[in-house]
Amino acid sequence: MRIRVLGSAAGGGFPQWNCNCPTCAGVRSGRIRAVPRTQSSIAVSGDDEHWVLFNASPDVLQQIRSFPELQPARALRDTAIAAIVLIDAQIDHTTGLYMLREHRQPWQVWCTPCVREDLSVGNPLFGVLGHYAGIAWNEVPLMGEFAIDGAPGLRFAALPLTSNAPPYSPHRDRPQPGDNIGVTLIDPRSAKRLFYAPGLGEMEPHVWEAMQQADCVLVDGTLWTDDEMIRLGASSKTSRAMGHLPQSGPGGMIEWLGRLPKTTRKVLIHINNTNPILDEDSPQRAELAAHGIEVSHDGMEIRL
C-alpha cells in the first residue's frame, strides 16, 4: 500500500493568503526555515496504478500536477483517480470537485449520508456538478470494511468522529454520526493498516482502538495549543471547539500518541498556518521529534 500526501496544511494552506502571523510572515520573508504547504489531501494505491483520492481540496489541480502518476496519459482525457472519498463536507475538503468537473463520466464519490446532505442542501455542490460530469454517490458505511471498485488491493473501514458540521449544514451545532469520519486504509495482502483522521477533536474509545491497531497513524496536527487562535487574535474559538485536538497540554495529541506501541509510525497532517511546528527550528518541532512524531509535508510518501 502506497500513500501520497498531496496536501498537508489546514484550510487556507501555508502561508495563508491574508495571514501575517509569525509563521506566515516568517516563511514569506525567509526568516524561518519552513516549507509552504497546500490544503490537506492524500492519495492511496494498492497497485501503483489506480488511486483513491481522499478529499478534493481547492488546491487539487496543483496537487495533481505535482504528482504525475495521477495523470498517466493513456488517452486524450485520462486520470488515475478511480474514486474520491470525502471525510467531511468542509469547503477545504470538497471545493476541488469543481476543478474536476471535466471528467468524462460521473465521479465515484464516497461519503456518508450526512456529508451528502450537506453537499446537496446547505452547499449544493453535488447539484451544480450534475450539470457537468455529475456524481455517482456511494455510501460510506460506519461499521465494517468496504471495498471501492477500481481500487484493487485495498480495503477500507470508516468510523464516526465527534465533530461539528460546516456552518452551511442543515444540522450545524446538532452533531450527527457521519459529519466527520476517520478511515482505516487496509492492505489485505500484508494486513498493514494506516489510520487517517485529519480532523480529530476527541479521543473516543472506538477511535483509540483503531489507532492502536494501525501500523501508521496520519492524524490531526492542526494547532499546537488549545488557545492558539485566541492568543493570536485570529479567532474566538479554542482548538477543541473547532473539532481539533491540540498537540500540547493534558489530553493532547502528543500525550495520546505516546501511548501507542513504539512500532507505530506517528505522523501529523492538516497543520494550521499558525502552528509553530511549521518552523523546522522551533522548540515545538524539537519536542515532536523527541516523541518520535513526524510532521507531514506535501509530497511525503508512506509505504506499508
Side-chain angles (χ1 to χ4, degrees):
M1 178 166 56
R2 182 179 171 195
I3 301 95
R4 172 86 173 200
V5 176
L6 299 175
S8 51
F14 173 67
Q16 183 172 300
W17 66 278
N18 66 341
C19 186
N20 292 292
C21 69
T23 43
C24 287
V27 72
R28 286 196 193 98
S29 65
R31 292 196 305 271
I32 66 171
R33 190 163 62 96
V35 178
R37 289 165 161 83
T38 60
Q39 295 166 89
S40 78
S41 174
I42 65 170
V44 59
S45 178
D47 63 357
D48 287 332
E49 183 178 352
H50 304 85
W51 293 82
V52 176
L53 181 66
F54 279 78
N55 297 326
S57 92
D59 304 312
V60 68
L61 298 183
Q62 177 183 341
Q63 293 167 347
I64 290 173
R65 285 192 294 269
S66 71
F67 188 39
E69 290 178 59
L70 294 182
Q71 175 46 271
R74 298 164 296 195
L76 178 63
R77 296 290 179 93
D78 195 20
T79 180
I81 301 171
I84 301 171
V85 178
L86 304 176
I87 64 150
D88 57 34
Q90 300 289 347
I91 285 176
D92 55 316
H93 287 155
T94 59
T95 305
L97 288 171
Y98 284 126
M99 319 306 172
L100 303 178
R101 64 190 179 277
E102 301 92 350
H103 198 36
R104 296 188 65 182
Q105 59 270 339
W107 277 109
Q108 296 296 316
V109 171
W110 289 75
C111 64
T112 65
C114 288
V115 171
R116 184 192 189 191
E117 180 185 11
D118 290 347
L119 297 179
S120 301
V121 180
N123 176 16
L125 183 153
F126 283 3
V128 173
L129 290 175
H131 296 282
Y132 299 90
I135 295 295
W137 177 63
N138 300 269
E139 181 175 354
V140 169
L142 294 181
M143 293 183 63
E145 294 184 14
F146 64 98
I148 293 177
D149 289 344
L154 293 173
R155 291 193 66 81
F156 307 89
L159 50 78
L161 304 178
T162 296
S163 185
N164 200 354
Y168 43 79
S169 172
H171 40 95
R172 173 74 167 180
D173 296 326
R174 293 182 291 110
Q176 308 289 317
D179 285 334
N180 188 309
I181 60 172
V183 182
T184 297
L185 286 54
I186 306 162
D187 185 334
R189 296 156 299 187
S190 65
K192 295 289 187 179
R193 292 172 169 247
L194 178 138
F195 179 72
Y196 175 60
L200 179 54
E202 183 180 333
M203 195 63 71
E204 301 167 276
H206 64 283
V207 177
W208 181 235
E209 181 180 0
M211 289 177 64
Q212 289 177 294
Q213 292 175 351
D215 300 278
C216 177
V217 294
L218 185 59
V219 292
D220 195 332
T222 308
L223 296 168
W224 179 255
T225 61
D226 197 36
D227 64 347
E228 182 173 311
M229 300 287 279
I230 297 172
R231 285 188 296 101
L232 287 170
S235 174
S236 60
K237 294 183 178 180
T238 65
S239 179
R240 286 181 170 88
M242 292 187 286
H244 299 287
L245 199 64
Q247 279 109 64
S248 63
M253 190 65 77
I254 293 175
E255 183 178 299
W256 281 105
L257 294 180
R259 299 176 184 176
L260 289 173
K262 294 187 181 300
T263 55
T264 306
R265 187 174 180 184
K266 311 167 195 62
V267 188
L268 299 178
I269 195 168
H270 195 270
I271 304 149
N272 198 59
N273 63 88
T274 59
N275 195 327
I277 66 174
L278 290 166
D279 180 350
E280 297 178 21
D281 299 315
S282 66
Q284 293 86 354
R285 188 65 168 264
E287 184 174 347
L288 290 180
H291 286 89
I293 301 170
E294 302 173 60
V295 178
S296 68
H297 56 82
D298 292 20
M300 182 181 195
E301 291 220 358
I302 299 170
R303 291 178 180 265
L304 295 173

